Amino acid sequence: MKFAENNRISHRQLYRQLILSFLAPFLLCLFGNGGTLGKNGVGGTVVAVILLFFYVIFLMRLRHSLENPVKTAGWFAGCLTGIFFLIYCVLTAAFLLALLGEIVTVSLGTGVSKGWLLLFSVLLCSLGTSRGIQRRGRMAEVSGGLVLAAVVLMLVLSVRQGKWEYFQEMVTDSRWNMREILTDCYGVLCAFSGIGFLPFSLKYVEKNGSAGKTVRLAVGTLGILLILVELLLPAIFGWERLKYETIPIFPLLAGADLPGNVLARFDVLWMSFLLYSLLFSIGSLLHYGHLLAEKTGLGSGKGWICGGLFAGALSCRRCWHSEVFPDLSWLYFCSGNADLSGTFFLFGMEEAEKEWESNGACVSASGGWDDGES
């Protein structure tokens, strides 16, 4: 396979990066203790995906103003924007890293100290931080399709674990609840909050004017997978058990094996795909955090972002509740990102108007058409 050396990624690479970055965090974090499941979970996910389709259109309009925040809004406002996004980047990556440490030490039982495991994971994820977006795109292009196919196969193999009485209980006995639908919708929107980094990276996407279709396709794909899991988990385990399952995808992995007992621990194979996606997600946050730090005049963030990530993961493991921390991180980002996006949208409109007036005056001077003064 040949790749062009132009520090740009194709639409296919962008699509697979989005799938890899969001897949494992969604499956591991969204369904704990009966959350975002059943009919109300499906309704909330559908509403969230529709809203995200419009949000992607808005983000595409921001690509010119956020391509260089310092130039658009000035040094001070550009630096504040970088600090805001970087705080979210470090907090979210720290939570995912702490989650990775819990999974590996508890579920897989490696016997390695959790602190050393976190440190090794940070070093591994930081290897490609400053080596260009194209290498990350190549990695996603090669492995993204395989991971997505493995997750779909896992869900298909899990269907035979379902029980008709559980499925009937979910469909007929449960009622639509608007409050739960809105709560689940908000949870899915928060989980997709990382898509707010899109305008900063569109400069490196080929034909970035039409990249919105690719992003919406990725959002739609992830939405369909979420809906499948939301229907599958209650049909397999029932509501009562799911209320006490912190990460219900784990028991689902244990039963998703091929007929004939091909492997004694087939769940380890599924787990490896999820861990790879989780590492890719952490690496993406480090990569785009470093890119954002350079764009906003904060210098190279490769060292201090990794240090903040490691310290945050240790603090998350010791102090922060596994459910409270991501809620606070996502709430912080969603509320602030709305204000910043609106501000930069206005800045972008002013820049576009100045560019239009400049281009109009130039064309008028060349005799093609005038700017309205003739």
Side-chain angles (χ1 to χ4, degrees), residues 245-288:
E245 288 285 352
T246 305
I247 307 180
I249 202 71
F250 284 169
L252 186 71
L253 300 180
D257 56 350
L258 292 174
N261 293 325
V262 179
L263 290 176
R265 290 291 307 275
F266 219 94
D267 58 319
V268 176
L269 179 62
W270 305 127
M271 184 70 70
S272 64
F273 287 111
L274 292 181
L275 290 178
Y276 174 78
S277 176
L278 197 58
L279 284 168
F280 189 90
S281 181
I282 297 170
S284 295
L285 288 167
L286 289 176
H287 173 80
Y288 289 107

Side-chain angles (χ1 to χ4, degrees), residues 4 39 61-62 66 70 112 122 131 135 141 157 173 185 200 206 219 222 225 245 253 278 299 322 347-348 366:
K39 291 163 54 175
R61 300 292 187 272
L62 289 175
L66 286 178
V70 174
V112 181
V122 170
R131 295 189 178 182
R135 294 194 177 187
E141 183 173 10
L157 293 175
D173 297 345
C185 172
F200 297 101
E206 295 177 350
V219 171
L222 291 166
L225 290 176
E245 288 285 352
L253 300 180
L278 197 58
S322 60
F347 275 120
S366 63

Side-chain angles (χ1 to χ4, degrees), residues 84 87-92 95 186-187 190-191 193 316 319-337:
F84 169 81
I87 289 175
Y88 165 81
C89 184
V90 172
L91 291 179
T92 304
F95 169 73
Y186 172 74
C190 287
S193 58
C316 178
C319 305
W320 299 333
H321 193 278
S322 60
E323 295 178 1
V324 173
F325 174 61
D327 287 345
L328 290 176
S329 176
W330 289 337
L331 176 63
Y332 161 82
F333 185 74
C334 286
S335 59
N337 189 33

Side-chain angles (χ1 to χ4, degrees), residues 104-120:
V104 174
T105 55
V106 176
S107 300
L108 300 182
T110 59
V112 181
S113 169
K114 189 175 296 186
W116 285 108
L117 179 64
L118 295 179
L119 179 60
F120 175 76

Side-chain angles (χ1 to χ4, degrees), residues 37 53 64 104 130 134 154 176 261-262 306 314 316 321 330 336:
L37 293 171
F53 283 165
H64 296 300
V104 174
S130 57
Q134 195 171 39
M154 178 194 71
W176 294 102
N261 293 325
V262 179
C306 292
L314 291 176
C316 178
H321 193 278
W330 289 337

